[in-house]
Amino acid sequence: MVRSSILGLLCLTAILWSASPILAQGGRGGFGGQGGGPGGEMGQMMMLLQDANVRKELEIVDDQVEKMREIGRKMFDGTREMFTGLRDLSEEQRAEKMEEIRAQLQSRQEELQKEVNDVLLPHQRERLQQVVLQSQLRRQSTGNALASGRLADELGITDAQKEELAKVQEEAQKELDEKVAKLREEMKNKVMKVLTPEQKSKLETLLGAPIEFAPQQFGRGGPGGAGGNRPARPDGN
C-alpha cells in the first residue's frame, strides 16, 4: 500500500516539476550535476523511483520508501502552489511568473536534495547517480546526451567535439529514420495481408484523404513516426 501511494505521488510530482519548457533550459540539479531534462536530476530521480527495478537495484527498504514519500509530498504540494493561478495571467505576466517559479524551484530543489541525501545511504546515492545518467542516455540521443549537461562536463567535451557530435548525430538519425521507415512499411504490408479486399476498401474510406501534420505537433516524423509525417494508407500510397 505504501509503495502504491508513493508511485502515484512521485508521478504527479514529476509531472508538475516538468510542467514548463522554461524549467528545462538548464540549471544545476540532482546529485550535484546539471539537469538532463525538465526539472533537472531531481525530477528525473522522482520518475526513476517509480520503477520497481530501480528501487530493487538501490536496495530501498520500506522505511526509506516512507521517508521518500514524505519528501515527494512536500515537493508536490510546494510545486502545485507555485503554479496556482498561472493560467489566469497574461502571456507577459506568465513569462515573468515562470522565471520566478524557476528560481523558486531551483532553491527548493537544493533543499529537498539535502533531505534525499539524508535518506539514502552513500552507495545508494552513488548508484542512483549512475542510473540517472543511464536514463538520460536512453531518453536522449547519445550525441545530445554527451554534448550537454553533466556528462559533457564530466568528460570534458570540447566545443569542437560538440560540433562533431551534432554532425554525427544528425547523420545517424537520418540513417535511422530511413531504416525505421522501411521496417514500418514492411510491417504494414504484412498486417494488411490479413484483411480482405472489402475490409481494406472500408478502412480506406474510414481514413479518408491523407493529411500532412505539422511535425512540431507530434514530434519527429509526425504521428506516422520516424518514417514520415503522413498516415499510412491501405494501398501503400
Side-chain angles (χ1 to χ4, degrees), residues 111-176:
E111 295 175 4
L112 291 172
Q113 187 62 66
K114 293 178 182 178
E115 295 186 35
V116 170
N117 288 344
D118 288 338
V119 172
L120 300 180
L121 298 173
H123 76 279
Q124 292 174 320
R125 295 197 298 269
E126 180 179 0
R127 183 55 176 155
L128 185 53
Q129 286 185 21
Q130 296 172 342
V131 173
V132 168
L133 292 179
Q134 287 186 38
S135 175
Q136 290 178 12
L137 282 172
R138 291 187 182 185
R139 290 185 300 102
Q140 305 176 48
S141 64
T142 304
N144 291 338
L146 292 176
S148 62
R150 183 149 63 93
L151 280 175
D153 291 343
E154 294 285 354
L155 297 176
I157 301 297
T158 65
D159 290 340
Q161 286 179 307
K162 291 180 181 180
E163 292 181 5
E164 184 64 20
L165 284 170
K167 180 180 179 181
V168 172
Q169 180 64 43
E170 184 177 356
E171 294 173 351
Q173 186 64 57
K174 182 179 179 180
E175 182 180 350
L176 177 62

Side-chain angles (χ1 to χ4, degrees), residues 67-86:
K67 291 179 180 179
M68 290 297 294
R69 183 171 68 90
E70 292 301 319
I71 294 174
R73 178 181 290 114
K74 288 192 292 185
M75 184 177 174
F76 173 74
D77 290 342
T79 306
R80 180 178 57 182
E81 184 177 346
M82 292 179 193
F83 283 92
T84 300
L86 190 64

